[in-house]
Amino acid sequence: MIDHDVIIVGGGLAGSRAALEIVRTDPTLSVAVVAKTHPIRSHSVAAQGGIAAALKNVDPADSWEAHAFDTVKGSDYLADQDAVEILTREAADVVIDLEHMGVLFSRLPDGRIAQRAFGGHAHNRTCYAADKTGHAILHELICNLMRYGVKIYDEWYVMRLILEEGQAKGLVMYHILDGQIQVVRAKAVMFATGGYGRVFNTTSNDYASTGDGLSIAALAGLPLEDMEFVQFHPTGLYPVGVLISEAVRGEGAYLINSAGDRFMATYAPSRMELAPRDITSRAIGRELRAGRGIHSDGTAGGPFVYLDLRHMGREKIMSRIPFCWEEAHRLLGIDAVTQPMPVRPTIHYSMGGIPVNTAGQVRGSSDSLVDGLYAAGETACVSVHGANRLGSNSLLECVVYGRRTGATITQAIPTRKLPNVDESHYITEAQQQLQSLLDQPGHYRINQVRQAFQDAMTEFCGVFRNASLMETGLAQLQGFQAQYSQIYLDDKGKHWNTEIIEALELRSLMIVGQMILESALQRQESRGAHCREDYPQRDDTNFLQHTLAYYSAAGIDISYHPVTITMFEPQERKY
Ligand SMILES: Cc1cc2nc3c(=O)[nH]c(=O)nc-3n(C[C@H](O)[C@H](O)[C@H](O)COP(=O)(O)OP(=O)(O)OC[C@H]3O[C@@H](n4cnc5c(N)ncnc54)[C@H](O)[C@@H]3O)c2cc1C
């Protein structure tokens, strides 16, 4: 058995910022980070457009209050306003702290950090490192973890949480290199396992974004909050789905339909291309449905619209958004200086997650906390994004709440003891789970079941939803779950058995998919990213509350949790 004071699952921005907070405050603590990838390959590294903070470097009229208002309005009033206040008040401080660590932000001519426009933000407040912001921040954080001697278990896959009598005691993890299984015991356990974009067939997310932390929490009997709120990013490059950052529109690009019109004038006349993502994604969806999409040969009625940068000029494109130019060039052979890019909405972000309070402590129910368990980042729901996240608020959430959660853990450790854990019980259980996967006499291929599941999720729980679509989705999901017990693994070995990992990930994806569908079916209103054609209005009387979904093999139970409203009364949301 391995012992640490603190074990953190996930080496992205949230996990590494929390680890750094702990060792910076008390270097004597034994802190470890586990990641199924190398931490540098966490999805955070792919973040492009930037991190929001009211620094006022470009726009002196900005303030944390204005940032808070934009965030709450963007969330369609579902965000918890105490959590938003913390996010926006602490933003400037965490960004300056990152700068002091050495993060290479892009600059204004006078040397201060540059800030650009972003969707749903009324002021230019997004700080950036060209369009490689996640790369710049994550590399600096990981360098710091190494400097402080944080133990890193890279390419270990966490299989389960050890939760006994309401107390988190540790983890069971599997070494992808050689098949070794280990139990880790700790005084505090933190989840920072990121999102679940791979539940759907077209996503901007990494292959590793499979929602493992969410399914591990759900299998341990913990609730998941607001899982129906899945963000579609308006500009996924067609057909691959990889992200073309909102920074491209922040720097002035247009969205145009087959008639050559800037169609956002119909949907959000005051914000145009910089409306929030839910509104812009639906606008593209409606243009495509109305036959104003574009085909590859340029004719009308096709599956994408154009993102047009041509008026911006080579110099601006190459200095502000070089990576987006490079992506379109590398993947489609398009030179965005002279040609428009084909785009359509792609699954991008998970607003819901493991419910936590503003100190990062995980909720076991609407009115209880789990002893010793913490979460932050995309896998957590604090909830600062409510029903729709604004771009550049997620990196900020990871850093603000990663830091806060690290601080909470550091304070708690002196009064905690290493728990007693029956190591052999957990090792035997994990061995049996893996062996039964290897021995299964089935005939389905993992890829075949996963693809059919992802296609169904996209078809039955996409940008536009209704009850009969989602009921069909749930019925099909039962079929995929039955097929799961008949998948066949070719590789029976212990070394680099990526099929085992794919099988475990597929289980996570299907649990998360079921939680999304059930939560979405029960929410009979339209709010933020959750757009019900059979309930087109927002319904504050019945649904101004957070969903809590509990998983069990028999089915999913749904209950609700109040929204914290402190500063801004809900209003109709117009842009
Ligand atoms: C292409 C792209 C661009 C983006 N651009 C921006 C942007 O410009 N601004 C912004 O604010 N947001 C952006 N986002 C969103 C933002 O990047 C993410 O929400 C954020 O980085 C998530 O960080 P995280 O630390 O929560 O998780 P991640 O960075 O996803 O890290 C998850 C970690 O958990 C580990 N893990 C997961 N499961 C297991 C397991 N079973 N066992 C062991 N380890 C596990 C992984 O190995 C990884 O280390 C973007 C997202 C994408 C996909």
Side-chain angles (χ1 to χ4, degrees), residues 399-450:
V399 183
V400 167
Y401 282 97
R403 177 171 84 161
R404 284 181 81 81
T405 308
T408 309
I409 293 173
T410 316
Q411 277 170 12
I413 292 297
T415 59
R416 299 185 68 85
K417 292 198 303 235
L418 273 176
N420 291 324
V421 172
D422 180 354
E423 182 191 14
S424 63
H425 164 78
Y426 287 104
I427 298 265
T428 309
E429 185 198 70
Q431 279 168 339
Q432 282 169 353
Q433 184 190 347
L434 297 177
Q435 201 56 48
S436 71
L437 265 177
L438 293 172
D439 293 344
Q440 236 165 243
H443 59 279
Y444 288 103
R445 318 303 304 183
I446 297 174
N447 181 46
Q448 179 188 4
V449 179
R450 185 178 53 217

Coordinates of all heavy atoms in Angstrom, one line a residue, residues 399-450:
V399 N -8.0 27.6 -11.8 CA -6.9 28.3 -11.1 C -7.5 28.8 -9.7 O -6.9 28.6 -8.7 CB -6.2 29.4 -11.9 CG1 -5.1 29.9 -11.1 CG2 -5.7 28.8 -13.2
V400 N -8.6 29.5 -9.8 CA -9.2 30.0 -8.5 C -9.6 28.9 -7.6 O -9.2 28.9 -6.4 CB -10.4 31.0 -8.8 CG1 -11.2 31.3 -7.5 CG2 -10.0 32.2 -9.5
Y401 N -10.4 27.9 -8.1 CA -10.9 26.9 -7.2 C -9.8 25.8 -7.0 O -9.9 25.1 -5.9 CB -12.2 26.4 -7.7 CG -13.3 27.3 -7.3 CD1 -13.8 28.3 -8.2 CD2 -13.8 27.4 -6.0 CE1 -14.7 29.2 -7.8 CE2 -14.8 28.3 -5.6 CZ -15.2 29.2 -6.5 OH -16.1 30.2 -6.1
G402 N -8.9 25.6 -7.9 CA -7.8 24.7 -7.6 C -7.0 25.3 -6.4 O -6.7 24.6 -5.4
R403 N -6.7 26.6 -6.4 CA -6.0 27.2 -5.3 C -6.8 27.1 -4.0 O -6.2 26.8 -2.9 CB -5.7 28.7 -5.7 CG -5.0 29.4 -4.5 CD -4.6 30.8 -5.0 NE -5.6 31.8 -4.9 CZ -5.4 33.1 -4.9 NH1 -4.2 33.6 -5.0 NH2 -6.4 34.0 -4.8
R404 N -8.1 27.4 -4.1 CA -8.9 27.4 -2.8 C -9.0 26.0 -2.3 O -8.9 25.8 -1.0 CB -10.3 27.9 -3.1 CG -10.5 29.3 -3.3 CD -11.9 29.7 -3.6 NE -12.7 29.7 -2.4 CZ -12.8 30.7 -1.6 NH1 -12.1 31.8 -1.8 NH2 -13.5 30.7 -0.5
T405 N -9.2 25.0 -3.1 CA -9.3 23.6 -2.6 C -8.0 23.2 -2.0 O -8.0 22.6 -1.0 CB -9.7 22.7 -3.8 OG1 -10.8 23.3 -4.4 CG2 -10.0 21.3 -3.3
G406 N -6.9 23.6 -2.6 CA -5.6 23.3 -2.1 C -5.4 23.9 -0.7 O -4.9 23.3 0.3
A407 N -5.9 25.1 -0.5 CA -5.8 25.8 0.8 C -6.7 25.1 1.8 O -6.3 24.9 3.0 CB -6.3 27.3 0.6
T408 N -7.9 24.7 1.4 CA -8.8 24.0 2.3 C -8.1 22.7 2.8 O -8.1 22.3 4.0 CB -10.1 23.6 1.6 OG1 -10.7 24.7 1.0 CG2 -11.1 23.0 2.6
I409 N -7.5 21.9 1.9 CA -6.9 20.7 2.2 C -5.7 20.9 3.2 O -5.5 20.2 4.2 CB -6.4 19.9 0.9 CG1 -7.6 19.5 0.1 CG2 -5.5 18.8 1.3 CD1 -7.2 18.9 -1.3
T410 N -4.9 21.9 2.9 CA -3.7 22.2 3.7 C -4.2 22.5 5.2 O -3.5 22.0 6.1 CB -2.9 23.5 3.2 OG1 -2.8 23.3 1.8 CG2 -1.6 23.5 3.8
Q411 N -5.2 23.2 5.3 CA -5.7 23.5 6.7 C -6.3 22.3 7.4 O -6.1 22.2 8.6 CB -6.9 24.5 6.6 CG -6.4 26.0 6.5 CD -7.6 26.9 6.2 OE1 -8.7 26.5 6.3 NE2 -7.2 28.1 5.8
A412 N -6.9 21.4 6.6 CA -7.5 20.2 7.2 C -6.5 19.1 7.7 O -6.7 18.4 8.7 CB -8.5 19.6 6.2
I413 N -5.4 19.0 7.0 CA -4.4 17.9 7.2 C -3.9 17.7 8.6 O -3.9 16.6 9.1 CB -3.2 18.0 6.2 CG1 -3.7 17.8 4.8 CG2 -2.1 17.0 6.6 CD1 -4.3 16.4 4.5
P414 N -3.6 18.8 9.3 CA -3.0 18.6 10.7 C -3.9 17.8 11.6 O -3.4 17.2 12.5 CB -2.7 20.0 11.2 CG -2.6 20.9 10.0 CD -3.5 20.2 8.9
T415 N -5.2 17.9 11.4 CA -6.1 17.2 12.3 C -6.6 15.9 11.8 O -7.4 15.2 12.4 CB -7.4 18.1 12.6 OG1 -8.0 18.3 11.3 CG2 -7.1 19.4 13.2
R416 N -6.0 15.4 10.7 CA -6.5 14.1 10.1 C -5.4 13.1 10.3 O -4.2 13.4 10.3 CB -6.8 14.3 8.6 CG -7.9 15.3 8.4 CD -8.3 15.4 6.9 NE -8.9 14.1 6.6 CZ -10.2 13.9 6.7 NH1 -11.0 14.8 7.3 NH2 -10.7 12.7 6.3
K417 N -5.8 11.8 10.4 CA -4.9 10.7 10.5 C -5.1 9.8 9.2 O -6.1 9.9 8.5 CB -5.3 9.8 11.7 CG -5.0 10.5 13.0 CD -5.0 9.4 14.1 CE -6.3 8.6 14.1 NZ -7.0 8.5 15.4
L418 N -4.0 9.0 8.9 CA -4.2 8.1 7.8 C -5.2 7.1 8.2 O -5.2 6.5 9.3 CB -2.8 7.4 7.5 CG -1.9 8.1 6.6 CD1 -0.6 7.3 6.5 CD2 -2.5 8.3 5.2
P419 N -6.2 6.8 7.3 CA -7.3 5.9 7.7 C -6.8 4.4 7.6 O -5.8 4.1 6.9 CB -8.3 6.2 6.6 CG -7.6 6.8 5.4 CD -6.4 7.4 6.0
N420 N -7.6 3.6 8.2 CA -7.4 2.1 8.0 C -8.1 1.7 6.7 O -9.2 2.0 6.5 CB -8.0 1.3 9.2 CG -7.2 1.6 10.5 OD1 -6.0 1.8 10.4 ND2 -7.9 1.7 11.6
V421 N -7.3 0.9 5.9 CA -7.9 0.4 4.7 C -7.5 -1.1 4.5 O -6.3 -1.4 4.8 CB -7.3 1.2 3.5 CG1 -7.7 0.6 2.2 CG2 -7.7 2.7 3.5
D422 N -8.5 -1.9 4.2 CA -8.2 -3.3 3.9 C -7.7 -3.5 2.5 O -8.4 -3.7 1.5 CB -9.5 -4.1 4.1 CG -9.3 -5.6 3.9 OD1 -8.2 -6.0 3.5 OD2 -10.3 -6.3 4.1
E423 N -6.4 -3.4 2.4 CA -5.7 -3.3 1.1 C -6.1 -4.6 0.2 O -6.4 -4.5 -0.9 CB -4.2 -3.2 1.3 CG -3.5 -3.2 0.0 CD -2.0 -3.3 0.1 OE1 -1.5 -3.8 1.2 OE2 -1.2 -3.0 -0.8
S424 N -6.0 -5.8 0.8 CA -6.1 -7.0 0.0 C -7.5 -7.1 -0.5 O -7.7 -7.5 -1.7 CB -5.8 -8.2 0.8 OG -6.7 -8.3 1.9
H425 N -8.5 -6.6 0.2 CA -9.9 -6.6 -0.3 C -10.0 -5.8 -1.6 O -10.6 -6.3 -2.6 CB -10.9 -6.0 0.8 CG -12.2 -5.6 0.2 ND1 -13.2 -6.6 0.0 CD2 -12.7 -4.4 -0.2 CE1 -14.2 -5.9 -0.6 NE2 -14.0 -4.7 -0.7
Y426 N -9.4 -4.6 -1.6 CA -9.5 -3.8 -2.8 C -8.7 -4.3 -4.0 O -9.1 -4.2 -5.1 CB -9.2 -2.3 -2.5 CG -10.3 -1.7 -1.6 CD1 -10.2 -1.5 -0.3 CD2 -11.5 -1.4 -2.2 CE1 -11.2 -1.0 0.5 CE2 -12.5 -0.8 -1.5 CZ -12.4 -0.6 -0.1 OH -13.4 -0.1 0.6
I427 N -7.5 -4.9 -3.6 CA -6.7 -5.4 -4.7 C -7.4 -6.6 -5.4 O -7.5 -6.7 -6.6 CB -5.3 -5.9 -4.2 CG1 -4.6 -4.7 -3.6 CG2 -4.5 -6.7 -5.2 CD1 -3.5 -4.1 -4.4
T428 N -8.0 -7.5 -4.6 CA -8.7 -8.7 -5.1 C -9.8 -8.2 -6.0 O -10.1 -8.7 -7.1 CB -9.2 -9.6 -4.0 OG1 -8.1 -9.8 -3.1 CG2 -9.7 -10.9 -4.4
E429 N -10.6 -7.3 -5.5 CA -11.7 -6.8 -6.2 C -11.3 -6.2 -7.6 O -11.9 -6.6 -8.6 CB -12.4 -5.7 -5.4 CG -13.7 -5.2 -6.0 CD -14.1 -3.9 -5.4 OE1 -13.4 -2.9 -5.7 OE2 -15.1 -3.8 -4.7
A430 N -10.3 -5.4 -7.6 CA -9.8 -4.8 -8.9 C -9.3 -5.9 -9.8 O -9.6 -5.9 -11.0 CB -8.7 -3.8 -8.6
Q431 N -8.6 -6.9 -9.3 CA -8.0 -8.0 -10.1 C -9.2 -8.8 -10.8 O -9.2 -9.1 -11.9 CB -7.2 -9.0 -9.3 CG -5.8 -8.5 -9.0 CD -5.1 -9.3 -8.0 OE1 -5.7 -10.0 -7.1 NE2 -3.8 -9.2 -8.0
Q432 N -10.2 -9.0 -9.9 CA -11.4 -9.8 -10.5 C -12.1 -9.0 -11.6 O -12.5 -9.5 -12.6 CB -12.4 -10.1 -9.3 CG -11.9 -11.3 -8.5 CD -12.7 -11.5 -7.2 OE1 -13.6 -10.6 -6.9 NE2 -12.4 -12.5 -6.5
Q433 N -12.2 -7.7 -11.3 CA -12.9 -6.8 -12.3 C -12.1 -6.9 -13.7 O -12.7 -7.1 -14.7 CB -13.0 -5.4 -11.9 CG -13.7 -4.5 -12.8 CD -13.6 -3.0 -12.4 OE1 -13.1 -2.6 -11.4 NE2 -14.0 -2.1 -13.4
L434 N -10.8 -6.8 -13.6 CA -10.0 -6.8 -14.8 C -10.0 -8.2 -15.5 O -10.2 -8.3 -16.7 CB -8.6 -6.4 -14.6 CG -8.4 -4.9 -14.1 CD1 -7.0 -4.6 -13.8 CD2 -9.0 -3.9 -15.1
Q435 N -9.9 -9.2 -14.6 CA -9.8 -10.6 -15.2 C -11.2 -10.9 -15.8 O -11.2 -11.6 -16.9 CB -9.5 -11.6 -14.0 CG -9.0 -12.9 -14.5 CD -7.7 -12.7 -15.3 OE1 -6.8 -12.0 -15.0 NE2 -7.7 -13.4 -16.5
S436 N -12.3 -10.5 -15.3 CA -13.5 -10.9 -15.9 C -13.7 -10.2 -17.3 O -14.2 -10.7 -18.2 CB -14.7 -10.6 -15.0 OG -15.0 -9.3 -14.9
L437 N -13.1 -8.9 -17.4 CA -13.1 -8.3 -18.7 C -12.3 -9.1 -19.7 O -12.7 -9.3 -20.9 CB -12.5 -6.9 -18.6 CG -13.4 -5.7 -18.4 CD1 -12.5 -4.4 -18.2 CD2 -14.3 -5.5 -19.6
L438 N -11.1 -9.6 -19.2 CA -10.2 -10.3 -20.1 C -10.8 -11.7 -20.5 O -10.6 -12.1 -21.6 CB -8.9 -10.6 -19.5 CG -8.0 -9.3 -19.2 CD1 -6.8 -9.7 -18.4 CD2 -7.5 -8.7 -20.5
D439 N -11.6 -12.3 -19.6 CA -12.1 -13.6 -19.8 C -13.4 -13.6 -20.6 O -13.9 -14.6 -21.0 CB -12.3 -14.3 -18.5 CG -11.0 -14.6 -17.8 OD1 -10.0 -14.5 -18.5 OD2 -11.0 -14.9 -16.6
Q440 N -14.1 -12.4 -20.7 CA -15.4 -12.3 -21.3 C -15.4 -13.0 -22.7 O -14.6 -12.7 -23.5 CB -15.7 -10.8 -21.5 CG -17.0 -10.4 -20.8 CD -17.1 -8.9 -20.7 OE1 -17.1 -8.4 -19.7 NE2 -17.1 -8.2 -21.9
P441 N -16.4 -13.9 -22.9 CA -16.4 -14.6 -24.2 C -17.2 -13.9 -25.3 O -17.7 -14.5 -26.2 CB -17.0 -16.0 -23.8 CG -18.0 -15.6 -22.7 CD -17.4 -14.4 -22.0
G442 N -17.3 -12.6 -25.2 CA -18.2 -11.9 -26.1 C -17.7 -11.8 -27.6 O -16.7 -12.3 -27.9
H443 N -18.5 -11.1 -28.4 CA -18.1 -10.9 -29.8 C -18.2 -9.4 -30.2 O -17.9 -9.1 -31.4 CB -19.0 -11.7 -30.7 CG -20.4 -11.4 -30.5 ND1 -21.2 -11.9 -29.5 CD2 -21.3 -10.6 -31.2 CE1 -22.4 -11.4 -29.6 NE2 -22.5 -10.6 -30.6
Y444 N -18.5 -8.5 -29.3 CA -18.5 -7.1 -29.7 C -17.1 -6.5 -29.6 O -16.4 -6.8 -28.6 CB -19.5 -6.3 -28.9 CG -20.9 -6.6 -29.2 CD1 -21.7 -7.4 -28.3 CD2 -21.5 -6.0 -30.3 CE1 -23.0 -7.6 -28.6 CE2 -22.9 -6.3 -30.6 CZ -23.6 -7.1 -29.8 OH -24.9 -7.3 -30.1
R445 N -16.8 -5.6 -30.5 CA -15.5 -4.8 -30.4 C -15.8 -3.6 -29.6 O -16.9 -3.0 -29.8 CB -15.0 -4.4 -31.8 CG -15.0 -5.5 -32.8 CD -14.4 -6.7 -32.5 NE -13.0 -6.5 -32.1 CZ -12.1 -7.5 -31.8 NH1 -12.6 -8.8 -31.8 NH2 -10.9 -7.3 -31.5
I446 N -14.8 -3.1 -28.8 CA -15.0 -1.9 -28.0 C -15.4 -0.7 -28.9 O -16.3 0.0 -28.7 CB -13.7 -1.5 -27.2 CG1 -13.4 -2.6 -26.2 CG2 -13.8 -0.2 -26.5 CD1 -12.1 -2.4 -25.5
N447 N -14.6 -0.6 -30.0 CA -14.8 0.5 -30.9 C -16.2 0.6 -31.5 O -16.8 1.7 -31.6 CB -13.8 0.5 -32.0 CG -13.9 1.7 -32.9 OD1 -14.0 2.8 -32.5 ND2 -13.9 1.4 -34.2
Q448 N -16.7 -0.6 -31.8 CA -18.1 -0.7 -32.4 C -19.1 -0.2 -31.4 O -20.0 0.6 -31.7 CB -18.2 -2.2 -32.7 CG -19.5 -2.6 -33.3 CD -19.5 -4.2 -33.4 OE1 -18.6 -4.9 -32.9 NE2 -20.6 -4.7 -34.0
V449 N -19.1 -0.7 -30.1 CA -20.1 -0.3 -29.1 C -19.9 1.2 -28.8 O -20.9 2.0 -28.7 CB -19.9 -1.1 -27.9 CG1 -20.9 -0.7 -26.8 CG2 -20.0 -2.6 -28.2
R450 N -18.7 1.7 -28.7 CA -18.4 3.1 -28.3 C -19.0 4.0 -29.4 O -19.7 5.0 -29.1 CB -16.9 3.3 -28.1 CG -16.6 4.7 -27.6 CD -15.1 4.9 -27.4 NE -14.4 4.5 -28.5 CZ -13.2 3.9 -28.5 NH1 -12.6 3.6 -27.4 NH2 -12.6 3.6 -29.7

